Amino acid sequence: MTIPVLEIFGPTIQGEGMVIGQKTMFVRTAGCDYSCSWCDSKFTWDGSEKNNIQKMNAQEILDALIEEGGDHFGHVTISGGNPGLLPQLDSLVDLLHTHSVKIALETQGSRWQPWFTKIDELTVSPKPPSSGMQTDFAKLDQIIESLSLEQKGTFSLKVVIFNDEDLDYARSVHKRYPAVELFLQVGNDDLETADQAELLAYLIERYERLIDQVMTDKELNHVRILPQLHTYLWGNRRGV
Amino acid sequence: MTIPVLEIFGPTIQGEGMVIGQKTMFVRTAGCDYSCSWCDSKFTWDGSEKNNIQKMNAQEILDALIEEGGDHFGHVTISGGNPGLLPQLDSLVDLLHTHSVKIALETQGSRWQPWFTKIDELTVSPKPPSSGMQTDFAKLDQIIESLSLEQKGTFSLKVVIFNDEDLDYARSVHKRYPAVELFLQVGNDDLETADQAELLAYLIERYERLIDQVMTDKELNHVRILPQLHTYLWGNRRGV
């Protein structure tokens, strides 16, 4: 079974979450069971790039990574879409590990895959109300429980925050899984602008506002609050 | 034995290193065995604020933390100066832990303290050539070895990069301690400006330049590269 791939690029830095700043390659898979209103990678599921999807096996993906990154990478981030839809990623995870490459992966936690337990840094990112999506908490409970019992690497939760309702949602997620490290990420609701200075000022203002809210909230004493660093560097550009 | 304290503030976010983004309080101790050319906290050792040093015991520091942070904190960062000079911090570490408060601490790794092993997130930050300081690698070897054997929490290395010589130094540190996670941090050599937009553009340009250098370097495949996020938010202001 091949893997549907839309982008392979890097090395660059991971801009988000638990391994923020990590030097990494990216593999972006096509297809998602969600359609978040503010998704910054809609092209992975809205059909606009379906002719660009490459069906690749694990070895072909590794070859493409080496073609892009040469010998100057040791870490790969698998992103989507929702790579958690793809049982066949198991083969890529094993192949990368046999080459001593570490793997980070992000999924919304709507589907379980047994290979999740082999990911070195797994981010489970359930989507808050502003996305327009509904979290299946029974499913998420199962996933968090399985990871808590079996995960060989590390894992964390990440919630993107656009408004107060999203922050309420993050609070309830934190209460439900208090033992799991939680990252709050400032949402970027300006995916169109090409004016980098303006975007930057706007994003930093939003970041500061989120920090202010969390600082006085005793239910959120143990969280980490992060921006998307790549947007600070490269705005809304793709492939960086 | 009391602890010499110059600042207690927060909650705010940790702007650097392994727990970047963490909601935390800060305790800044006075005194340093180094005098780095680009130190952003020279007031901790240059004598300019020696009249502001408060000699506090652990309970007084906890009381001051609670006065500042109320019930809305669960994490404290101890910074300096070099808090690694102070054997008496042992009492503060224990007291905070009995109150279920987690502790991060940063030191340059010039002195060992037995209580290092109790720190939840310890950053060892040896100083590169641009600082004007000399690393005692025999001492650093001992510290890294002791931490590798005994540390209960996590620890990492961090090197601040101002120029190519500093990057060479970071490379040699990484080669010497390959099993320890290494963070590269963009140096801020403009500690004076109050023009936040100008500072931000400058810091991001420097960050991008460092990323570019590391991306093509096969000896630095496993590092993480981070800015000082608090300077993006608050420039060179103190107490935030």
Side-chain angles (χ1 to χ4, degrees), chain A residues 166-213:
Chain A
D166 291 353
L167 196 56
D168 285 341
Y169 173 90
R171 224 176 267 119
S172 70
V173 166
H174 191 44
K175 212 173 268 178
R176 198 171 185 108
Y177 314 112
V180 183
E181 189 165 36
L182 173 63
F183 291 80
L184 304 184
Q185 180 174 298
V186 191
N188 174 13
D189 57 3
D190 182 357
L191 298 173
E192 300 302 327
T193 187
D195 183 330
Q196 177 60 7
E198 194 185 285
L199 178 66
L200 190 55
Y202 176 68
L203 291 174
I204 286 176
E205 185 200 311
R206 285 179 63 96
Y207 185 26
E208 192 162 7
R209 206 185 313 153
L210 179 60
I211 291 170
D212 285 345
Q213 284 184 282

Side-chain angles (χ1 to χ4, degrees), chain B:
Chain B
M1 249 166 98
T2 56
I3 298 159
V5 174
L6 263 172
E7 292 182 323
I8 292 177
F9 62 91
T12 182
I13 60 151
Q14 168 59 256
E16 305 179 358
M18 67 190 293
V19 278
I20 191 167
Q22 176 73 48
K23 179 176 174 179
T24 191
M25 302 290 295
F26 278 87
V27 174
R28 191 183 296 285
T29 61
C32 197
D33 47 331
Y34 277 19
S35 53
C36 297
S37 62
W38 36 252
C39 178
D40 60 4
S41 306
K42 283 188 171 144
F43 61 92
T44 61
W45 51 262
D46 68 2
S48 60
E49 300 204 14
K50 68 168 186 247
N51 295 329
N52 297 331
I53 297 170
Q54 292 193 273
K55 309 253 177 169
M56 303 170 82
N57 64 34
Q59 185 61 51
E60 287 166 340
I61 292 174
L62 178 61
D63 291 345
L65 285 165
I66 291 169
E67 198 180 316
E68 277 292 312
D71 59 359
H72 43 281
F73 73 95
H75 189 278
V76 168
T77 301
I78 303 173
S79 187
N82 181 12
L85 299 180
L86 305 170
Q88 65 269 39
L89 275 176
D90 191 47
S91 58
L92 179 63
V93 170
D94 288 346
L95 183 65
L96 291 174
H97 278 160
T98 62
H99 285 77
S100 302
V101 173
K102 287 203 164 190
I103 307 167
L105 185 135
E106 178 169 330
T107 178
Q108 58 262 52
S110 55
R111 303 273 185 93
W112 170 255
Q113 296 293 343
W115 52 257
F116 280 179
T117 60
K118 296 189 269 187
I119 300 296
D120 298 284
E121 295 120 358
L122 181 71
T123 296
V124 180
S125 185
K127 304 305 176 190
S130 63
S131 68
M133 300 296 109
Q134 287 283 338
T135 303
D136 178 346
F137 275 104
K139 175 55 76 179
L140 190 59
D141 286 350
Q142 282 172 10
I143 290 174
I144 297 295
E145 195 188 343
S146 299
L147 291 173
S148 302
L149 292 171
E150 298 172 46
Q151 233 261 340
K152 290 175 197 75
T154 53
F155 75 101
S156 68
L157 284 156
K158 186 178 80 176
V159 177
V160 184
I161 310 292
F162 285 85
N163 58 36
D164 290 349
E165 217 184 336
D166 291 353
L167 196 57
D168 285 340
Y169 173 90
R171 222 176 268 120
S172 72
V173 166
H174 190 43
K175 209 173 270 179
R176 197 172 185 108
Y177 313 111
V180 183
E181 190 166 35
L182 173 62
F183 290 80
L184 305 183
Q185 179 174 298
V186 191
N188 174 12
D189 58 3
D190 183 356
L191 298 173
E192 300 304 326
T193 187
D195 183 330
Q196 178 59 10
E198 194 185 287
L199 178 65
L200 190 55
Y202 176 68
L203 291 174
I204 285 177
E205 185 200 312
R206 285 179 64 95
Y207 185 26
E208 192 163 7
R209 204 184 314 152
L210 180 58
I211 291 171
D212 285 345
Q213 284 184 285
V214 174
M215 289 308 112
T216 55
D217 188 333
K218 68 178 181 184
E219 291 180 72
L220 295 172
N221 283 347
H222 296 282
V223 300
R224 289 171 66 179
I225 314 164
L226 287 173
Q228 292 177 297
L229 268 186
H230 54 283
T231 61
Y232 285 20
L233 287 157
W234 303 301
N236 290 319
R237 272 198 283 148
R238 259 176 73 179
V240 279

